[in-house]
Amino acid sequence: MKMTFDGRVAIVTGAGGGLGRAYAMLLAQRGARVLVNDLGGDFMGQGADSSYAAAVADEIRGAGGVAIANGDSVAGREGADRIVAQAMEAWGRVDILINNAGLVTSRGPLWEMTDAQWETDIRVAATGTYQMCRAVWKQMWDRDYGRILNVSSGSFFGMGSGLGYPAAKGATWGITRALAVTADHHGKNVRVNCVMPTAASRMTHLLGEEVDSAMKRHYPPEAAAPVAAYLVHEDVPCNGEMFRIGGGRFRRVFIGITPGYRGKPAELDMETVRDNFAQAMSPEGYSIPRNSIDALDAEAGVDWAAFGAGII
Ligand code: NAI
């Protein structure tokens, strides 16, 4: 059966172009009412232009869909509250949030990076994701329904320049895990997942003409959108997961723990660490923790679960 979003209300941030536009278009084609947000600033986070969001909302309406536009920044409390209030006023609910807004201003050697670059990257991807989640969370919690998709980046695996962007994109993963674990713990029908996309966009122009034209051929934003849409659908089977998506492919990304080496607390010395380092490094027998309690040492003789129940 064809999957639809009939009756659902979605907010897609940074949807004035690139991936966000593709997500918004697909959700609308499948029946969602979509608030298209985009600040419309330049690459370095300067300026604002609400015509980008307006153009995509027009495009959706032109194709027979339902959309409204918003030109606020996600990076502050007032902007995030206004975005959510606009959707609530128009349609009375928010079922879906895709935190897609992002930019890369930090690049080059660390000694040349400015604090403004660090702060811009953190403010948009990390603070913006936090602010938008905060602004929708209570009504999703109270209505016992919500689907949130956060956007990380492959830069989180290690990127050779700039620190602000991968740091901010790591934060989106942490936010995803924290909210998913909280919703699970309280038995809420709220799912929070995360993607690391690859797609041609104005961001990939930065990589040079050759890479950009190959990206346009192999990684159109539309080839990532169906995975993003599935992850915010009612039937999504997972919570707190990360996927690498793009070019028609999707695959799970996870953080695992190896069994490592266990010594007696009072006996572990540096030489034992040296001599057993390979065992700690070996991925054999790894596990994937479901939450921070799961990631603690189950055999250490402490009732971590009792402790954990108190900190969630
Ligand atoms: P894009 O530059 O076309 O889209 C990002 C949009 O976010 C822009 O339209 C921009 O105006 C908007 N934006 C920036 N700051 C904002 C703010 N404060 N409030 C509201 N909107 C704001 O780039 P693209 O490639 O479509 O990126 C979408 C997301 O995917 C970003 O979060 C990016 O970091 C992430 N990403 C993209 C990759 C790619 O291969 N294209 C790779 C890894 C991550």
Side-chain angles (χ1 to χ4, degrees), residues 14 16-20 37-41 72-75 100-103 124 151-153 165 169 197-199 201-204 215:
L19 283 155
N37 157 268
D38 204 297
L39 178 63
D72 277 305
S73 171
V74 297
N100 168 77
L103 41 71
V124 178
V151 176
S152 183
S153 152
Y165 186 69
K169 292 305 195 180
T198 307
S201 73
R202 68 172 194 171
M203 258 191 202
T204 52
M215 293 278 293

